[in-house]
Amino acid sequence: MLALCGLAGVTNAQPAAADDAQSKQMFKAMTDYLAGQQAFSFNYDATLDIVTADMMKVGLASSGSLTLQRPDKARMTRTGVVDVELTYDGKTVSAIGKNLNVYTKIPLEGSVEDMIDTLRSAYGVEAPAADLLSANAFEIMMENVSTGKDLGSGVIGGEVCNHLAFRTRDTDWEIWIADGDVPRPCRITITSRMMAMAPSYTVQISNWKAGKDVTADDFQLKTGDAKEVKIEEMPGLDDLAGLVEEGDAQ
């Protein structure tokens, strides 16, 4: 209780307008850093909270990696309920369900941003920390923000980070940004304000690399003897696929 009271004193110590401006300024410094990287990669651990029909809150855990090379190359993996790998070479999106031994390919020319938008809008597939991957991340993520707070320092994976919190009409989201000359994201949590028991999604980032430190990649998917299917016939691209029946999750 004393710690919470102390935190309340810190967060209320400066005027709301100054707090809001400072938090947005710190977030913009991070997005400017990300946008300026021609290539970067990281590992991640993610937890997706869902709420069942009988109001039980449970978390689905997964781990994976992401490598991005601007403007039009990416490789993503996720291992959890399913084991999925996805690549994009600027012309084709390819994905394989390794535990299902099936793969799919979608013709798609454009940038990484085009790929992310198409997968999200047409197929309901999200990249880890997807909005942060855009060159316009600040504009995208600040569009509906009503307030922001600088919550001071936190420690993620042993590293001192700046802890920021933002609110929109539908969600609260927090981000922890590494302190110092490399303001990379360390953790992001998005919490729904519109659903019972406030389910949330957290991505914690580790093994960050940028520039020449990023391992070279041809961004081609190795499918082996897997069977090709249409993307609509390929389960597993969504974290919830096959786990709950329609209507079970809030």
Side-chain angles (χ1 to χ4, degrees), residues 26-27 29-35 37 40-44 66 70 128-133 137 141 156-157 159-162 164 173-179 182-189 203-210:
M26 295 172 71
F27 182 69
M30 187 213 68
T31 57
D32 286 348
Y33 165 76
L34 290 182
Q37 304 308 306
F40 59 83
S41 66
F42 57 80
N43 295 338
Y44 70 89
L66 183 141
R70 300 190 193 278
D131 287 335
L132 291 179
L133 306 181
M141 297 188 71
I156 304 294
E159 185 171 9
V160 176
C161 300
N162 296 305
L164 310 177
W173 58 275
E174 302 168 78
I175 189 164
W176 289 257
I177 301 169
D179 193 23
V182 182
R184 64 173 182 84
C186 296
R187 178 191 287 172
I188 183 168
T189 295
V203 176
Q204 183 159 318
I205 293 171
S206 60
N207 195 30
W208 175 269
K209 296 180 181 179

Side-chain angles (χ1 to χ4, degrees), residues 11-227:
T11 56
N12 291 327
Q14 54 186 324
D19 195 23
D20 186 68
Q22 181 172 326
S23 61
K24 289 180 179 179
Q25 182 179 6
M26 295 172 71
F27 182 69
K28 189 173 190 308
M30 187 213 68
T31 57
D32 286 348
Y33 165 76
L34 290 182
Q37 304 308 306
Q38 185 65 23
F40 59 83
S41 66
F42 57 80
N43 295 338
Y44 70 89
D45 295 294
T47 303
L48 173 65
D49 286 340
I50 63 169
V51 183
T52 64
D54 58 356
M55 303 305 291
M56 177 181 286
K57 190 173 184 178
V58 298
L60 309 178
S62 62
S63 295
S65 63
L66 183 141
T67 300
L68 183 146
Q69 180 178 306
R70 300 190 193 278
D72 59 359
K73 305 286 191 300
R75 182 183 297 273
M76 293 169 273
T77 69
R78 187 183 77 246
T79 302
V81 176
V82 294
D83 188 355
V84 174
E85 184 172 4
L86 182 148
T87 63
Y88 182 56
D89 62 4
K91 296 181 179 179
T92 304
V93 179
S94 305
I96 185 169
K98 295 182 178 180
N99 55 334
L100 304 171
N101 204 36
V102 295
Y103 75 95
T104 190
K105 291 189 175 185
I106 309 166
L108 176 61
E109 293 194 24
S111 65
V112 170
E113 287 87 350
D114 294 329
M115 181 267 292
I116 290 172
D117 289 344
T118 298
L119 289 180
R120 172 186 284 161
S121 61
Y123 305 107
V125 177
E126 289 280 356
D131 287 335
L132 291 179
L133 306 181
S134 171
N136 301 314
F138 182 80
E139 289 77 11
I140 292 171
M141 297 188 71
M142 287 293 117
E143 182 178 4
N144 296 312
V145 165
S146 57
T147 58
K149 292 184 178 295
D150 175 5
L151 299 180
S153 297
V155 178
I156 304 294
E159 185 171 9
V160 176
C161 300
N162 296 305
H163 182 190
L164 310 177
F166 298 94
R167 167 161 284 187
T168 73
R169 187 190 68 175
D170 298 333
T171 63
D172 290 332
W173 58 275
E174 302 168 78
I175 189 164
W176 289 257
I177 301 169
D179 193 23
D181 296 334
V182 182
R184 64 173 182 84
C186 296
R187 178 191 287 172
I188 183 168
T189 295
I190 303 170
T191 302
S192 172
R193 299 178 60 210
M194 307 299 289
M195 299 182 183
M197 295 178 66
S200 63
Y201 180 64
T202 296
V203 176
Q204 183 159 318
I205 293 171
S206 60
N207 195 30
W208 175 269
K209 296 180 181 179
K212 296 180 180 179
D213 293 333
V214 178
T215 304
D217 196 326
D218 61 5
F219 300 98
Q220 299 298 308
L221 187 68
K222 296 177 175 61
T223 58
D225 62 354
K227 176 185 177 183

